[in-house]
Amino acid sequence: MNHFADFFFSPFQEFVFMRHALVACLALAVGCAPVGMLLVLRRMSLMGDALSHAVLPGAAIGFLVSGLSLYAMTIGGIIIGLTVAMLAGAIARSTSLREDASFAALYLISLASGVLIISMRGTSIDIIHVLFGTILAVDDPALILVASITTITLFTIALIYRPLIVECFDPGFLRSVGGHGATMHFIFLVLVVLNLVAGFTALGTLMAVGMLMLPAASANFWAKQFWSTSMIATIIAMVSSYSGLLLSYYMNFPSGPSIILTAGACYVFSVFFGKHGSLYSRYKAGYHLTG
């Protein structure tokens, strides 16, 4: 029994950096889960991926100005991320190009620009840290930043919950009743960018979107109501974080990819065995119909 407990708890009892990494991931899980579910509801999942890379040039400019300064890179990431989101929407409204195509184009430009800017001053090690994160190097300021963004996210969603949900399903109706649909959409984009910046702080730009989308996509197979799916997504993200950190500790794997791959395993399991819409549930429904 002691060996069992030691296996699961000793890394976090012995090492401060493991505790910091776990707390950061748990805070990310709480904030990212409802935002990821809103992206799934809006069928904008790939937009999250595009925005995660849109954060990179802003973080790179912050790096160019102040080195590996958390606050400079965070502010730069938020500003450029929101700019790219607004620019993609403006292009979609002003031209015949759809918003998803605008995001795809800007995402590629952003990714290349960010890597180029970092390479002008940094090294390949710096580029890897920015792209893939350094979850085991999370310090107290980074924890405060992640916790603050999570608090802002939950408070904002609770405050404007109804118009946010209505805007997901029927933005035309929201506009017709004076619900400020454009304002709700902008606030939603701000929440996405903020949580991607929080994820970037811990997991890097390439991994941050994994915490946002994989638990949400998995939860969609287990429940249908927004808050129930958000709760399940949070639990999946927390379990994936804990398991991924243990995997990285004992197997000497990179921590960020270990966490995201664990979340990916939860997604694959949900695709096969989830309660709603999974391969197993559809097979079972078909069996009852033919039987």
Short mmCIF file of all heavy atoms in Angstrom, two decimals, residues 204-266:
data_model
loop_
_atom_site.label_atom_id
_atom_site.label_comp_id
_atom_site.label_asym_id
_atom_site.label_seq_id
_atom_site.Cartn_x
_atom_site.Cartn_y
_atom_site.Cartn_z
N GLY A 204 3.42 25.97 -23.81
CA GLY A 204 3.91 26.40 -25.10
C GLY A 204 2.77 26.58 -26.10
O GLY A 204 1.66 26.10 -25.89
N THR A 205 3.05 27.29 -27.19
CA THR A 205 1.98 27.62 -28.14
C THR A 205 1.44 26.39 -28.85
O THR A 205 0.24 26.33 -29.16
CB THR A 205 2.48 28.62 -29.18
OG1 THR A 205 3.62 28.09 -29.86
CG2 THR A 205 2.87 29.93 -28.53
N LEU A 206 2.28 25.40 -29.14
CA LEU A 206 1.80 24.23 -29.88
C LEU A 206 0.99 23.28 -29.01
O LEU A 206 0.15 22.54 -29.51
CB LEU A 206 2.99 23.48 -30.51
CG LEU A 206 3.76 24.21 -31.60
CD1 LEU A 206 4.84 23.31 -32.19
CD2 LEU A 206 2.84 24.70 -32.71
N MET A 207 1.25 23.28 -27.70
CA MET A 207 0.56 22.36 -26.80
C MET A 207 -0.66 23.00 -26.11
O MET A 207 -1.54 22.28 -25.65
CB MET A 207 1.53 21.85 -25.72
CG MET A 207 2.72 21.06 -26.23
SD MET A 207 2.28 19.41 -26.87
CE MET A 207 2.45 19.71 -28.62
N ALA A 208 -0.70 24.34 -26.04
CA ALA A 208 -1.75 25.01 -25.26
C ALA A 208 -3.14 24.66 -25.76
O ALA A 208 -4.07 24.46 -24.97
CB ALA A 208 -1.54 26.53 -25.31
N VAL A 209 -3.31 24.59 -27.07
CA VAL A 209 -4.63 24.31 -27.63
C VAL A 209 -5.09 22.89 -27.28
O VAL A 209 -6.29 22.62 -27.24
CB VAL A 209 -4.62 24.52 -29.17
CG1 VAL A 209 -3.82 23.43 -29.88
CG2 VAL A 209 -6.03 24.61 -29.72
N GLY A 210 -4.16 21.99 -26.99
CA GLY A 210 -4.52 20.63 -26.58
C GLY A 210 -5.30 20.63 -25.29
O GLY A 210 -6.29 19.90 -25.14
N MET A 211 -4.88 21.45 -24.31
CA MET A 211 -5.61 21.55 -23.04
C MET A 211 -6.98 22.18 -23.25
O MET A 211 -7.93 21.89 -22.52
CB MET A 211 -4.78 22.36 -22.04
CG MET A 211 -5.39 22.46 -20.66
SD MET A 211 -5.49 20.88 -19.78
CE MET A 211 -3.81 20.74 -19.16
N LEU A 212 -7.09 23.03 -24.24
CA LEU A 212 -8.35 23.72 -24.51
C LEU A 212 -9.35 22.79 -25.20
O LEU A 212 -10.54 22.79 -24.86
CB LEU A 212 -8.09 24.94 -25.39
CG LEU A 212 -9.19 26.00 -25.49
CD1 LEU A 212 -9.35 26.75 -24.18
CD2 LEU A 212 -8.87 26.99 -26.61
N MET A 213 -8.89 21.98 -26.16
CA MET A 213 -9.82 21.27 -27.05
C MET A 213 -10.01 19.79 -26.74
O MET A 213 -11.11 19.27 -26.87
CB MET A 213 -9.36 21.42 -28.51
CG MET A 213 -9.43 22.85 -29.04
SD MET A 213 -10.97 23.72 -28.67
CE MET A 213 -12.19 22.54 -29.21
N LEU A 214 -8.96 19.08 -26.37
CA LEU A 214 -9.09 17.62 -26.20
C LEU A 214 -10.06 17.24 -25.08
O LEU A 214 -10.94 16.38 -25.29
CB LEU A 214 -7.71 16.99 -25.98
CG LEU A 214 -6.86 16.83 -27.24
CD1 LEU A 214 -5.44 16.39 -26.87
CD2 LEU A 214 -7.49 15.81 -28.20
N PRO A 215 -9.97 17.83 -23.88
CA PRO A 215 -10.96 17.48 -22.86
C PRO A 215 -12.38 17.86 -23.26
O PRO A 215 -13.34 17.12 -22.97
CB PRO A 215 -10.50 18.29 -21.63
CG PRO A 215 -9.04 18.50 -21.86
CD PRO A 215 -8.90 18.69 -23.33
N ALA A 216 -12.54 18.99 -23.94
CA ALA A 216 -13.87 19.41 -24.39
C ALA A 216 -14.44 18.45 -25.42
O ALA A 216 -15.62 18.07 -25.36
CB ALA A 216 -13.81 20.83 -24.96
N ALA A 217 -13.60 18.05 -26.37
CA ALA A 217 -14.06 17.09 -27.39
C ALA A 217 -14.41 15.75 -26.75
O ALA A 217 -15.38 15.09 -27.15
CB ALA A 217 -12.98 16.91 -28.45
N SER A 218 -13.65 15.33 -25.74
CA SER A 218 -13.94 14.06 -25.05
C SER A 218 -15.24 14.15 -24.27
O SER A 218 -16.07 13.23 -24.32
CB SER A 218 -12.79 13.72 -24.09
OG SER A 218 -11.56 13.65 -24.76
N ALA A 219 -15.44 15.26 -23.56
CA ALA A 219 -16.64 15.42 -22.73
C ALA A 219 -17.91 15.41 -23.55
O ALA A 219 -18.98 15.03 -23.05
CB ALA A 219 -16.54 16.72 -21.93
N ASN A 220 -17.82 15.80 -24.81
CA ASN A 220 -18.99 15.84 -25.69
C ASN A 220 -19.60 14.45 -25.88
O ASN A 220 -20.78 14.33 -26.24
CB ASN A 220 -18.60 16.44 -27.04
CG ASN A 220 -19.76 17.08 -27.74
OD1 ASN A 220 -20.51 17.84 -27.14
ND2 ASN A 220 -19.94 16.78 -29.01
N PHE A 221 -18.82 13.39 -25.64
CA PHE A 221 -19.32 12.01 -25.78
C PHE A 221 -19.98 11.50 -24.49
O PHE A 221 -20.54 10.41 -24.49
CB PHE A 221 -18.17 11.07 -26.15
CG PHE A 221 -17.66 11.24 -27.56
CD1 PHE A 221 -16.49 11.94 -27.80
CD2 PHE A 221 -18.37 10.73 -28.64
CE1 PHE A 221 -16.02 12.09 -29.10
CE2 PHE A 221 -17.91 10.89 -29.94
CZ PHE A 221 -16.72 11.58 -30.17
N TRP A 222 -19.89 12.28 -23.41
CA TRP A 222 -20.39 11.78 -22.12
C TRP A 222 -21.58 12.54 -21.58
O TRP A 222 -22.27 12.05 -20.68
CB TRP A 222 -19.25 11.81 -21.10
CG TRP A 222 -18.12 10.91 -21.47
CD1 TRP A 222 -16.94 11.26 -22.05
CD2 TRP A 222 -18.07 9.48 -21.31
NE1 TRP A 222 -16.15 10.16 -22.27
CE2 TRP A 222 -16.82 9.05 -21.83
CE3 TRP A 222 -18.95 8.54 -20.79
CZ2 TRP A 222 -16.44 7.72 -21.84
CZ3 TRP A 222 -18.57 7.20 -20.79
CH2 TRP A 222 -17.34 6.80 -21.31
N ALA A 223 -21.83 13.76 -22.04
CA ALA A 223 -22.96 14.56 -21.54
C ALA A 223 -23.39 15.52 -22.63
O ALA A 223 -22.72 15.68 -23.65
CB ALA A 223 -22.57 15.30 -20.27
N LYS A 224 -24.54 16.19 -22.39
CA LYS A 224 -25.09 17.09 -23.40
C LYS A 224 -25.31 18.51 -22.90
O LYS A 224 -25.29 19.45 -23.68
CB LYS A 224 -26.42 16.52 -23.93
CG LYS A 224 -26.26 15.27 -24.80
CD LYS A 224 -25.37 15.56 -26.00
CE LYS A 224 -25.11 14.32 -26.83
NZ LYS A 224 -24.15 14.59 -27.93
N GLN A 225 -25.52 18.69 -21.60
CA GLN A 225 -25.72 20.03 -21.07
C GLN A 225 -24.37 20.75 -20.94
O GLN A 225 -23.35 20.11 -20.66
CB GLN A 225 -26.40 19.96 -19.70
CG GLN A 225 -27.78 19.34 -19.74
CD GLN A 225 -28.77 20.14 -20.58
OE1 GLN A 225 -28.76 21.37 -20.56
NE2 GLN A 225 -29.62 19.44 -21.32
N PHE A 226 -24.38 22.08 -21.10
CA PHE A 226 -23.12 22.82 -21.12
C PHE A 226 -22.34 22.65 -19.82
O PHE A 226 -21.13 22.34 -19.85
CB PHE A 226 -23.39 24.32 -21.37
CG PHE A 226 -22.17 25.17 -21.24
CD1 PHE A 226 -21.20 25.17 -22.24
CD2 PHE A 226 -21.96 25.97 -20.12
CE1 PHE A 226 -20.05 25.95 -22.12
CE2 PHE A 226 -20.83 26.75 -20.00
CZ PHE A 226 -19.87 26.74 -21.00
N TRP A 227 -23.00 22.84 -18.66
CA TRP A 227 -22.26 22.79 -17.42
C TRP A 227 -21.82 21.37 -17.08
O TRP A 227 -20.74 21.17 -16.49
CB TRP A 227 -23.07 23.40 -16.28
CG TRP A 227 -23.05 24.89 -16.32
CD1 TRP A 227 -24.10 25.73 -16.58
CD2 TRP A 227 -21.91 25.75 -16.14
NE1 TRP A 227 -23.68 27.05 -16.58
CE2 TRP A 227 -22.36 27.09 -16.31
CE3 TRP A 227 -20.57 25.52 -15.87
CZ2 TRP A 227 -21.50 28.19 -16.20
CZ3 TRP A 227 -19.72 26.61 -15.76
CH2 TRP A 227 -20.17 27.92 -15.92
N SER A 228 -22.61 20.37 -17.44
CA SER A 228 -22.19 18.99 -17.17
C SER A 228 -21.01 18.60 -18.06
O SER A 228 -20.06 17.96 -17.59
CB SER A 228 -23.36 18.02 -17.37
OG SER A 228 -23.89 18.13 -18.69
N THR A 229 -21.05 19.00 -19.34
CA THR A 229 -19.90 18.70 -20.21
C THR A 229 -18.67 19.48 -19.76
O THR A 229 -17.55 18.96 -19.81
CB THR A 229 -20.23 19.04 -21.68
OG1 THR A 229 -20.75 20.37 -21.76
CG2 THR A 229 -21.20 18.05 -22.28
N SER A 230 -18.87 20.71 -19.30
CA SER A 230 -17.74 21.51 -18.81
C SER A 230 -17.11 20.86 -17.59
O SER A 230 -15.88 20.83 -17.44
CB SER A 230 -18.18 22.92 -18.48
OG SER A 230 -18.61 23.61 -19.63
N MET A 231 -17.96 20.33 -16.70
CA MET A 231 -17.44 19.66 -15.50
C MET A 231 -16.66 18.40 -15.88
O MET A 231 -15.57 18.15 -15.35
CB MET A 231 -18.60 19.30 -14.57
CG MET A 231 -18.17 18.69 -13.24
SD MET A 231 -17.19 19.83 -12.23
CE MET A 231 -18.44 21.07 -11.86
N ILE A 232 -17.20 17.62 -16.81
CA ILE A 232 -16.50 16.40 -17.25
C ILE A 232 -15.20 16.76 -17.94
O ILE A 232 -14.16 16.12 -17.74
CB ILE A 232 -17.41 15.57 -18.18
CG1 ILE A 232 -18.59 15.00 -17.38
CG2 ILE A 232 -16.63 14.44 -18.84
CD1 ILE A 232 -19.66 14.36 -18.23
N ALA A 233 -15.22 17.82 -18.77
CA ALA A 233 -14.00 18.27 -19.45
C ALA A 233 -12.95 18.70 -18.43
O ALA A 233 -11.75 18.41 -18.60
CB ALA A 233 -14.32 19.42 -20.40
N THR A 234 -13.39 19.36 -17.36
CA THR A 234 -12.45 19.78 -16.31
C THR A 234 -11.82 18.57 -15.64
O THR A 234 -10.60 18.53 -15.42
CB THR A 234 -13.19 20.64 -15.26
OG1 THR A 234 -13.75 21.78 -15.90
CG2 THR A 234 -12.24 21.08 -14.17
N ILE A 235 -12.64 17.57 -15.33
CA ILE A 235 -12.13 16.35 -14.69
C ILE A 235 -11.15 15.64 -15.60
O ILE A 235 -10.07 15.19 -15.17
CB ILE A 235 -13.29 15.42 -14.30
CG1 ILE A 235 -14.15 16.06 -13.20
CG2 ILE A 235 -12.78 14.06 -13.84
CD1 ILE A 235 -15.44 15.34 -12.92
N ILE A 236 -11.48 15.52 -16.89
CA ILE A 236 -10.58 14.88 -17.85
C ILE A 236 -9.26 15.63 -17.93
O ILE A 236 -8.18 15.02 -17.95
CB ILE A 236 -11.24 14.79 -19.24
CG1 ILE A 236 -12.41 13.80 -19.21
CG2 ILE A 236 -10.22 14.38 -20.31
CD1 ILE A 236 -13.24 13.79 -20.48
N ALA A 237 -9.33 16.97 -17.96
CA ALA A 237 -8.11 17.77 -18.04
C ALA A 237 -7.26 17.61 -16.78
O ALA A 237 -6.02 17.51 -16.85
CB ALA A 237 -8.46 19.24 -18.24
N MET A 238 -7.91 17.54 -15.61
CA MET A 238 -7.17 17.36 -14.36
C MET A 238 -6.50 15.99 -14.30
O MET A 238 -5.32 15.87 -13.95
CB MET A 238 -8.12 17.54 -13.17
CG MET A 238 -8.54 18.97 -12.93
SD MET A 238 -9.66 19.09 -11.50
CE MET A 238 -9.73 20.87 -11.28
N VAL A 239 -7.26 14.95 -14.65
CA VAL A 239 -6.71 13.59 -14.64
C VAL A 239 -5.57 13.47 -15.65
O VAL A 239 -4.53 12.86 -15.36
CB VAL A 239 -7.82 12.57 -14.93
CG1 VAL A 239 -7.23 11.18 -15.14
CG2 VAL A 239 -8.85 12.54 -13.80
N SER A 240 -5.74 14.07 -16.82
CA SER A 240 -4.69 14.03 -17.85
C SER A 240 -3.44 14.75 -17.37
O SER A 240 -2.31 14.29 -17.62
CB SER A 240 -5.20 14.68 -19.14
OG SER A 240 -6.33 14.00 -19.64
N SER A 241 -3.62 15.87 -16.69
CA SER A 241 -2.48 16.63 -16.17
C SER A 241 -1.71 15.82 -15.14
O SER A 241 -0.47 15.71 -15.20
CB SER A 241 -2.96 17.95 -15.55
OG SER A 241 -3.61 18.75 -16.51
N TYR A 242 -2.44 15.25 -14.19
CA TYR A 242 -1.80 14.47 -13.13
C TYR A 242 -1.09 13.25 -13.72
O TYR A 242 0.08 12.99 -13.42
CB TYR A 242 -2.86 14.04 -12.12
CG TYR A 242 -2.30 13.47 -10.84
CD1 TYR A 242 -2.00 14.30 -9.77
CD2 TYR A 242 -2.08 12.11 -10.69
CE1 TYR A 242 -1.49 13.79 -8.58
CE2 TYR A 242 -1.57 11.58 -9.52
CZ TYR A 242 -1.27 12.42 -8.47
OH TYR A 242 -0.76 11.91 -7.30
N SER A 243 -1.80 12.52 -14.58
CA SER A 243 -1.22 11.31 -15.18
C SER A 243 -0.04 11.64 -16.08
O SER A 243 0.97 10.93 -16.10
CB SER A 243 -2.30 10.55 -15.97
OG SER A 243 -3.41 10.26 -15.17
N GLY A 244 -0.18 12.73 -16.86
CA GLY A 244 0.90 13.11 -17.76
C GLY A 244 2.15 13.52 -17.02
O GLY A 244 3.28 13.19 -17.44
N LEU A 245 2.00 14.22 -15.89
CA LEU A 245 3.17 14.60 -15.10
C LEU A 245 3.84 13.37 -14.49
O LEU A 245 5.08 13.28 -14.45
CB LEU A 245 2.75 15.58 -14.00
CG LEU A 245 2.44 17.01 -14.46
CD1 LEU A 245 1.84 17.83 -13.32
CD2 LEU A 245 3.69 17.69 -14.99
N LEU A 246 3.03 12.42 -14.01
CA LEU A 246 3.61 11.18 -13.49
C LEU A 246 4.35 10.42 -14.60
O LEU A 246 5.45 9.90 -14.38
CB LEU A 246 2.51 10.29 -12.89
CG LEU A 246 1.96 10.67 -11.52
CD1 LEU A 246 0.85 9.70 -11.12
CD2 LEU A 246 3.06 10.68 -10.46
N LEU A 247 3.74 10.36 -15.77
CA LEU A 247 4.37 9.67 -16.91
C LEU A 247 5.69 10.31 -17.26
O LEU A 247 6.70 9.62 -17.49
CB LEU A 247 3.42 9.70 -18.11
CG LEU A 247 3.87 8.99 -19.38
CD1 LEU A 247 3.96 7.49 -19.14
CD2 LEU A 247 2.90 9.28 -20.52
N SER A 248 5.71 11.64 -17.30
CA SER A 248 6.95 12.33 -17.65
C SER A 248 8.02 12.13 -16.58
O SER A 248 9.21 12.04 -16.88
CB SER A 248 6.68 13.82 -17.86
OG SER A 248 6.39 14.46 -16.65
N TYR A 249 7.59 12.06 -15.32
CA TYR A 249 8.55 11.90 -14.21
C TYR A 249 9.20 10.52 -14.23
O TYR A 249 10.43 10.39 -14.14
CB TYR A 249 7.83 12.13 -12.88
CG TYR A 249 8.70 11.94 -11.67
CD1 TYR A 249 9.57 12.93 -11.24
CD2 TYR A 249 8.63 10.75 -10.93
CE1 TYR A 249 10.37 12.75 -10.12
CE2 TYR A 249 9.42 10.56 -9.81
CZ TYR A 249 10.30 11.57 -9.41
OH TYR A 249 11.09 11.38 -8.31
N TYR A 250 8.38 9.49 -14.37
CA TYR A 250 8.91 8.13 -14.28
C TYR A 250 9.54 7.63 -15.59
O TYR A 250 10.47 6.82 -15.56
CB TYR A 250 7.81 7.16 -13.84
CG TYR A 250 7.45 7.29 -12.39
CD1 TYR A 250 6.21 7.79 -12.00
CD2 TYR A 250 8.36 6.94 -11.39
CE1 TYR A 250 5.88 7.92 -10.65
CE2 TYR A 250 8.03 7.07 -10.05
CZ TYR A 250 6.79 7.56 -9.69
OH TYR A 250 6.49 7.68 -8.36
N MET A 251 9.04 8.11 -16.72
CA MET A 251 9.55 7.65 -18.02
C MET A 251 10.53 8.64 -18.66
O MET A 251 11.04 8.38 -19.74
CB MET A 251 8.37 7.41 -18.98
CG MET A 251 7.35 6.41 -18.49
SD MET A 251 8.05 4.77 -18.19
CE MET A 251 8.46 4.29 -19.88
N ASN A 252 10.76 9.77 -17.98
CA ASN A 252 11.66 10.79 -18.49
C ASN A 252 11.22 11.33 -19.86
O ASN A 252 12.03 11.58 -20.75
CB ASN A 252 13.10 10.24 -18.58
CG ASN A 252 14.13 11.35 -18.65
OD1 ASN A 252 13.91 12.47 -18.15
ND2 ASN A 252 15.25 11.08 -19.30
N PHE A 253 9.89 11.50 -20.01
CA PHE A 253 9.33 12.08 -21.23
C PHE A 253 9.16 13.59 -21.04
O PHE A 253 9.07 14.07 -19.90
CB PHE A 253 7.95 11.47 -21.53
CG PHE A 253 7.99 10.03 -21.94
CD1 PHE A 253 6.85 9.24 -21.82
CD2 PHE A 253 9.13 9.46 -22.46
CE1 PHE A 253 6.86 7.90 -22.19
CE2 PHE A 253 9.16 8.13 -22.84
CZ PHE A 253 8.02 7.35 -22.70
N PRO A 254 9.08 14.36 -22.13
CA PRO A 254 8.75 15.78 -22.01
C PRO A 254 7.37 15.94 -21.38
O PRO A 254 6.42 15.24 -21.74
CB PRO A 254 8.76 16.28 -23.46
CG PRO A 254 9.56 15.28 -24.22
CD PRO A 254 9.35 13.97 -23.53
N SER A 255 7.25 16.87 -20.44
CA SER A 255 6.02 16.97 -19.65
C SER A 255 4.83 17.45 -20.45
O SER A 255 3.73 16.86 -20.36
CB SER A 255 6.25 17.92 -18.47
OG SER A 255 7.27 17.43 -17.65
N GLY A 256 4.99 18.53 -21.25
CA GLY A 256 3.87 19.06 -22.02
C GLY A 256 3.26 18.05 -22.97
O GLY A 256 2.05 17.78 -22.91
N PRO A 257 4.07 17.43 -23.84
CA PRO A 257 3.52 16.40 -24.73
C PRO A 257 2.92 15.21 -23.98
O PRO A 257 1.94 14.62 -24.44
CB PRO A 257 4.73 15.97 -25.56
CG PRO A 257 5.62 17.18 -25.58
CD PRO A 257 5.44 17.81 -24.22
N SER A 258 3.48 14.85 -22.83
CA SER A 258 2.93 13.73 -22.04
C SER A 258 1.52 14.05 -21.57
O SER A 258 0.62 13.20 -21.62
CB SER A 258 3.82 13.43 -20.84
OG SER A 258 5.10 13.02 -21.24
N ILE A 259 1.31 15.29 -21.11
CA ILE A 259 -0.02 15.71 -20.65
C ILE A 259 -1.01 15.69 -21.80
O ILE A 259 -2.13 15.16 -21.67
CB ILE A 259 0.06 17.11 -20.01
CG1 ILE A 259 0.86 17.05 -18.71
CG2 ILE A 259 -1.34 17.68 -19.76
CD1 ILE A 259 1.22 18.41 -18.16
N ILE A 260 -0.62 16.24 -22.94
CA ILE A 260 -1.53 16.32 -24.08
C ILE A 260 -1.82 14.94 -24.66
O ILE A 260 -2.96 14.65 -25.06
CB ILE A 260 -0.96 17.26 -25.16
CG1 ILE A 260 -0.73 18.66 -24.58
CG2 ILE A 260 -1.90 17.34 -26.35
CD1 ILE A 260 -1.94 19.28 -23.92
N LEU A 261 -0.82 14.07 -24.70
CA LEU A 261 -1.05 12.72 -25.20
C LEU A 261 -1.95 11.92 -24.26
O LEU A 261 -2.75 11.08 -24.71
CB LEU A 261 0.28 11.99 -25.41
CG LEU A 261 1.07 12.40 -26.66
CD1 LEU A 261 2.41 11.70 -26.69
CD2 LEU A 261 0.27 12.07 -27.93
N THR A 262 -1.85 12.17 -22.96
CA THR A 262 -2.77 11.52 -22.02
C THR A 262 -4.20 12.00 -22.26
O THR A 262 -5.15 11.20 -22.24
CB THR A 262 -2.35 11.83 -20.57
OG1 THR A 262 -0.98 11.45 -20.39
CG2 THR A 262 -3.21 11.06 -19.59
N ALA A 263 -4.35 13.31 -22.49
CA ALA A 263 -5.68 13.83 -22.85
C ALA A 263 -6.15 13.24 -24.17
O ALA A 263 -7.35 12.95 -24.35
CB ALA A 263 -5.63 15.36 -22.94
N GLY A 264 -5.21 13.03 -25.10
CA GLY A 264 -5.56 12.39 -26.37
C GLY A 264 -6.03 10.96 -26.19
O GLY A 264 -6.95 10.50 -26.88
N ALA A 265 -5.43 10.24 -25.23
CA ALA A 265 -5.88 8.87 -24.94
C ALA A 265 -7.30 8.87 -24.39
O ALA A 265 -8.11 8.00 -24.72
CB ALA A 265 -4.91 8.22 -23.95
N CYS A 266 -7.62 9.87 -23.56
CA CYS A 266 -8.99 10.01 -23.05
C CYS A 266 -9.96 10.27 -24.20
O CYS A 266 -11.09 9.75 -24.21
CB CYS A 266 -9.07 11.14 -22.03
SG CYS A 266 -8.17 10.85 -20.51
#
